[in-house]
Amino acid sequence: MQEKIVQKPPKYRLFDRKHFAIVKGISILIVIFAHLGSRYFNFHYLSPATGIATAVFLLCSGYGISESYKYRGSLRHYWENKIIRVWAPSLVKLLLVHGILLKSFFGWMDYYPLALYGWFLNLLFAEYLVFWLLFKYVDDRKLQMLGLFGTSLLAFLIIRDLPIAEGLFCFPLGVMASQYHWKKKIRALNNKQRAYICAALVVVAGSAFVLRNMFDQYLLFNAVWMMMKVSLAILLVLGVYFLRKVPLWMVFVPVGTISYALYLTYVEVLALLSNRRDWKAVVVVLGILFVVATIFYFGCLLIEHLNRKTRTRNQVHLRGSMR
């Protein structure tokens, strides 16, 4: 008898949790090492890559929130979930760092983290708000997409700050990928088509890189940088999927899983380096960072679990009282 050849299932699929965990893991490491290099070792070459990482986070967020909406079929508990998962951890962290407990230790931190990543949380809140308004009060999908990209375009014309401007279209792009089922279309591509897409993204990013300093007008300057970083962000997301047989990618899954906790804690933990520049100290501090972020992550999971448990109990109590 001829034996059946059983193919092993892929370790991750396009746009699933592991896929996003990998690209988030790569992105947060870019952010951490860019900050480490520029602030403590006078190495600034990685700093522009943080825009690529931001674009990846916003793409994943837009896709994830749209998929969650499609799965649930409503926006029930929308803001409750966002507060528990996004703003509650940020608030806890700010209270710890800027409050009585650690204020004397992180003296220079009283203003720096707010300037560093406060803008990202503000942008995320704005994107969440626009999504909620459009998907709650507008039924037509084309109008929803028009609203998302229209508000992003309006913000792009107004906002001069490059880190914000270059990521404005990433969240709507992630939502569009979900709403128009790009997953099926991308999975159906053959190797030749995939190569063409990757080459086109490289050409766009390379052209933008050449033109990046040719414009003084802020709109053109921001547009060129946005083209470069968004193209590279899409290339990273697709490249990790197209090359999914590479076993090395799985190393980034645990890092990506705690990426938000790393994002909230890395500035303060890296401050432990102070004026030290040796690599042994860097390795020790990075180890401390991952331990702190892991504890922070599981603390957030516990809060989410307690919230779901309370919600379920309230629903059971409500149904019982209605009988």
Side-chain angles (χ1 to χ4, degrees), residues 54-55 58 61 87 117-130 151-152 155-156 159 161-172:
T54 302
L58 290 169
S61 182
W87 284 282
Y117 53 69
W119 67 266
F120 178 76
L121 293 179
N122 291 337
L123 174 59
L124 206 57
F125 173 77
E127 300 282 18
Y128 286 161
L129 178 60
V130 173
T151 52
S152 295
F156 183 81
I159 296 173
D161 193 7
L162 179 61
I164 301 176
E166 64 190 8
L168 283 170
F169 293 96
C170 296
F171 185 91

Side-chain angles (χ1 to χ4, degrees), residues 93-125:
K93 178 258 176 181
L94 288 175
L95 288 174
L96 286 174
V97 174
H98 300 281
I100 298 172
L101 292 177
L102 300 177
K103 188 173 181 179
S104 59
F105 186 74
F106 295 110
W108 62 275
M109 288 291 177
D110 287 340
Y111 60 90
Y112 184 67
L114 293 174
L116 182 69
Y117 53 69
W119 67 266
F120 178 76
L121 293 179
N122 291 337
L123 174 59
L124 206 57
F125 173 77

Side-chain angles (χ1 to χ4, degrees), residues 17 96 263:
R17 287 190 178 185
L96 286 174
Y263 173 74

